[in-house]
């Protein structure tokens, strides 16, 4: 349990596959930032869907703007995946050049994770 202005709380960090089945999860104190758990979550991936050694990576890792940082994008790439994370606006209201390749249609499927977290909290 973590203590904040709102009282004691926890955060659920979870990786799931496209249909919403959980692959790896961690629980941390509420004041911990999401991005600090990205590396441990990606390291915990072990998907045994085929004969042989389990897969250790996702093709694409989708996250919200809380993961929009060079370090987080680098961590995702180091684990052999492609980041799909929206870019934050700059103070002048523009977006970085890299934001042009962002796939909004694929990003819409990120709600699978939000629904999974809702089910876990129920």
């Amino acid at each position: 349990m973590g203590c904040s202005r709102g009282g004691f709380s926890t955060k659920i960090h979870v990786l799931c596959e496209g249909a919403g089945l959980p692959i790896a999860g961690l629980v941390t104190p509420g004041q911990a930032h999401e991005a600090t758990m990205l590396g441990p979550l990606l390291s915990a991936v072990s998907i045994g869907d085929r004969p042989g050694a389990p897969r250790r990576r996702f093709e694409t890792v989708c996250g919200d703007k809380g993961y929009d940082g060079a370090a987080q994008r680098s961590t995702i790439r180091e684990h052999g995946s492609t980041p799909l994370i929206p870019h934050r606006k700059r103070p002048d209201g523009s977006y970085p050049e890299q934001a042009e390749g962002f796939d909004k249609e694929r990003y819409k499927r990120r709600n699978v994770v939000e629904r999974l977290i809702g089910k876990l909290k129920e």
Side-chain angles (χ1 to χ4, degrees):
M1 295 292 266
C3 188
S4 67
R5 290 184 296 177
F8 290 109
S9 64
T10 58
K11 280 190 183 173
I12 299 172
H13 309 271
V14 66
L15 282 174
C16 71
E17 51 90 36
L21 296 173
I23 302 295
L26 297 169
V27 178
T28 60
Q31 73 268 22
H33 194 277
E34 294 89 10
T36 60
M37 292 295 108
L38 183 59
L41 272 176
L42 290 172
S43 296
V45 172
S46 180
I47 307 167
D49 61 343
R50 301 181 200 134
R55 288 187 298 138
R56 305 291 298 168
R57 67 178 191 88
F58 287 101
E59 180 180 328
T60 303
V61 174
C62 189
D64 61 18
K65 289 182 184 180
Y67 296 96
D68 179 29
Q72 289 78 29
R73 291 174 188 275
S74 175
T75 299
I76 292 170
R77 286 187 186 100
E78 286 169 7
H79 282 84
S81 301
T82 303
L84 180 61
I85 302 167
H87 291 273
R88 291 189 186 126
K89 285 184 182 180
R90 294 178 178 156
D92 66 359
S94 66
Y95 286 97
E97 297 80 38
Q98 306 93 318
E100 291 180 15
F102 181 71
D103 188 348
K104 288 183 181 180
E105 291 305 312
R106 286 181 65 199
Y107 183 73
K108 288 179 182 178
R109 295 188 300 191
R110 193 184 72 81
N111 69 47
V112 169
V113 177
E114 301 299 337
R115 292 195 317 256
L116 171 62
I117 291 172
K119 289 177 189 175
L120 292 172
K121 287 183 176 182
E122 282 182 22

